[in-house]
Every structure is written in C-alpha cells, then in structure tokens.
Amino acid sequence: GIVSRMTAQKGFELLPDILPVFLKRKDLRLVVLGSGEERHERYFQWLRDTFPDRVACYIGYQNELAHRIEAGADLFLMPSRYEPCGLNQMYSLRYGTLPIVHATGGLADTVQNYVEATGEGTGFVFHNLSVDSLANTIGWALSTYHDRPDHFQALREQAMAQDFSWERAAGRYEELYREAY
C-alpha cells in the first residue's frame, strides 16, 4: 500500500522503473491513495489502467480510506527522500503493516530494520536512495513474506508493540529534564 502526497520529497521518481516489474513477475497487489504532482498522479493512473486486476488507485484523500489501506496491506511503501517526522509509518506499524522505508529522518528513528538471522525488527529499511536499492528491499520484503512467514509474523507483532504515544514521549522529556536539573 501507498498513502502519500505525490511529490518529489516522497521518492516517487524511483517507482516507475520498479513497480511494473514486480507487478508482472510477482503475485502482488498495490493500493495507492494520494494526490500531488500531476506526473505522479498520471503515473499511478497509468499503472491502474495497465494492471487493472492488480492496482487500485484513488487520486485525492479520504482519511478513512487511508487508514483502511494502511491496516489492510501487508507492506507499506514509503521511499521518502527526507521525512522530518512521518506519521504514516507509525500508523502502519500500529496496524502491523510492515513499512519499507528509506533511512532518513523520522523513518530511520521509528522503523527498525529486519534482522534476518534473528527475526527481529519492525520493517525493511534501505540506505541508498536508488532504484536498485529500493527494488532489492522490496524483493527482500516479498521473499520474507513468502519464504519466512514466521519471521513476517514476528515482525508484525514487534511493529504493533511499538509505543509512539505522547505519554511515552512526555515521560522521556521529563526524565531528561530531571537528569539535567
């Protein structure tokens, strides 16, 4: 799933070389919600028209639909160039929808990369903002889903156990304040 503003900040220029390949080769469905730069909107409409049995696309925004996508998808794609905070990855984590993210800003702070040897983590993180790096990470996430379902389920459980509440954050700030005082 993808729920996003369709802008250069969100890394969408990487997707045209990747998504059609995966949609042709894999048993994969994609649901997209968002709006923004016309070229990105046209691309996702083209993708929907080209793969009508595999891609659903809504240009615009509906909060309820956004949460349904994030809760119903197995993976959430967020290849942002920069992301000061990011809420969508936190929603996805809470729903057990594992994020695929570029290691930047709030995404790097909130998504723990999958460790294949132990099954630990909360999602799939790539560091080099390139077509190849994103494609490899999507492939890795899909192979984990298909070949290591026990790890995929453990990742979901670890993701849903994350606590990004204000109560936790406020408690940490209070702790830091007391240490400084």
Side-chain angles (χ1 to χ4, degrees):
I2 298 172
V3 175
S4 182
R5 283 182 297 110
M6 296 178 179
T7 66
Q9 173 195 347
K10 301 301 183 175
F12 284 142
E13 69 283 352
L14 302 174
L15 300 179
D17 292 333
I18 297 172
L19 294 180
V21 173
F22 280 105
L23 289 164
K24 287 177 187 172
R25 292 189 317 188
K26 302 286 185 183
D27 181 21
L28 177 73
R29 306 290 184 274
L30 177 66
V31 180
V32 180
L33 171 99
S35 63
E37 295 175 16
E38 186 178 339
R39 66 186 171 126
H40 297 309
E41 290 181 3
R42 279 196 317 267
Y43 171 71
F44 284 110
Q45 290 168 330
W46 171 85
L47 204 61
R48 176 196 60 209
D49 295 344
T50 304
F51 299 96
D53 59 332
R54 293 180 176 257
V55 177
C57 174
Y58 179 87
I59 302 298
Y61 186 77
Q62 291 182 5
N63 191 53
E64 182 179 328
L65 182 57
H67 283 275
R68 292 181 81 154
I69 291 169
E70 291 187 52
D74 293 307
L75 296 161
F76 188 78
L77 188 55
M78 200 169 176
S80 299
R81 290 187 163 287
Y82 58 94
E83 196 69 52
C85 177
L87 293 175
N88 289 89
Q89 83 281 5
M90 289 190 277
Y91 297 148
S92 295
L93 290 166
R94 187 68 172 155
Y95 290 130
T97 301
L98 302 179
I100 299 172
V101 301
H102 174 231
T104 187
L107 303 178
D109 293 339
T110 56
V111 180
Q112 300 161 12
N113 200 21
Y114 169 49
V115 179
E116 202 167 317
T118 64
E120 295 175 313
T122 61
F124 301 88
V125 180
F126 63 100
H127 296 272
N128 182 10
L129 190 65
S130 70
V131 169
D132 288 341
S133 186
L134 177 56
N136 289 337
T137 305
I138 292 171
W140 182 36
L142 293 173
S143 73
T144 303
Y145 178 84
H146 290 291
D147 301 334
R148 293 174 298 286
D150 54 327
H151 278 204
F152 202 85
Q153 183 58 33
L155 291 169
R156 281 183 162 156
E157 291 171 11
Q158 292 165 106
M160 290 186 289
Q162 300 300 297
D163 181 5
F164 299 110
S165 69
W166 280 113
E167 184 175 305
R168 180 180 155 269
R172 182 67 183 127
Y173 278 115
E174 183 178 352
E175 183 181 309
L176 288 171
Y177 178 76
R178 289 184 192 283
E179 288 175 10
Y181 186 64

